[in-house]
Amino acid sequence: MSEPFSVPVTVRGYETDVQGHLNQSVYLQYGEHARWSLLQAAGIRQADLMARGVGPVALETTIRYRRELLAGDEVEVTCVFGWGEGKTFRIEQTISRTDGTVAAEITGVGGLMDLRARKLVADPGAYFRELADDPKLFGL
């Protein structure tokens, strides 16, 4: 696994539920935001993926809620890619308050889909390595 990439997010009032804490679905949105921010920081735009005929897909996501988040809380959302030998990769993410308190941990398994064949590509890391200006951000 590489060093964590992170993005700051401020919890907005409209993202909270009737108990006043961050709605469960928004944690996934924060994770998605961090992943796309990492791609952008590495020099990969969505248009670049589309031009190659591939797109990232989520195959499995697990969220462990640790502490509640409230409107106005400032958080950091990290993202670390882990590569294996097959068609998939792991993504480890942490959502933490600025004081270091971990609010949630997101673990995912993803792949890169060939958009024409509708199947996972054999070596997703090779695509990221080729497209990225800075593949080190992906641990490649």
Side-chain angles (χ1 to χ4, degrees):
M1 295 247 176
S2 60
E3 288 296 312
F5 174 85
S6 71
V7 294
V9 176
T10 301
V11 177
R12 295 165 289 254
Y14 62 82
E15 296 172 325
T16 60
D17 58 21
V18 294
Q19 288 88 7
H21 58 250
L22 188 64
N23 181 279
Q24 64 184 354
S25 66
V26 180
Y27 288 86
L28 291 171
Q29 293 172 8
Y30 286 3
E32 184 83 0
H33 173 64
R35 292 190 300 275
W36 280 105
S37 295
L38 171 54
L39 266 72
Q40 183 177 359
I44 300 175
R45 299 171 305 131
Q46 193 170 14
D48 299 328
L49 294 167
M50 296 297 291
R52 288 294 310 271
V54 296
V57 293
L59 302 170
E60 177 182 315
T61 304
T62 302
I63 303 174
R64 173 165 283 180
Y65 302 99
R66 306 289 299 267
R67 297 285 183 272
E68 69 179 350
L69 291 174
L70 306 173
D73 282 348
E74 307 257 339
V75 299
E76 289 288 324
V77 184
T78 66
C79 186
V80 178
F81 277 66
W83 303 92
E85 305 257 334
K87 297 179 179 183
T88 63
F89 48 85
R90 293 184 61 79
I91 305 170
E92 301 288 338
Q93 297 187 264
T94 304
I95 301 174
S96 302
R97 290 191 195 113
T98 53
D99 68 2
T101 302
V102 174
E105 297 162 329
I106 304 171
T107 303
V109 176
L112 202 55
M113 181 182 283
D114 178 318
L115 298 175
R116 289 185 193 96
R118 308 307 288 179
K119 294 184 179 186
L120 295 179
V121 301
D123 184 2
Y127 283 83
F128 285 107
R129 201 177 293 110
E130 180 184 325
L131 290 169
D133 295 332
D134 188 359
K136 289 182 289 192
L137 289 173
F138 294 105
L140 295 169

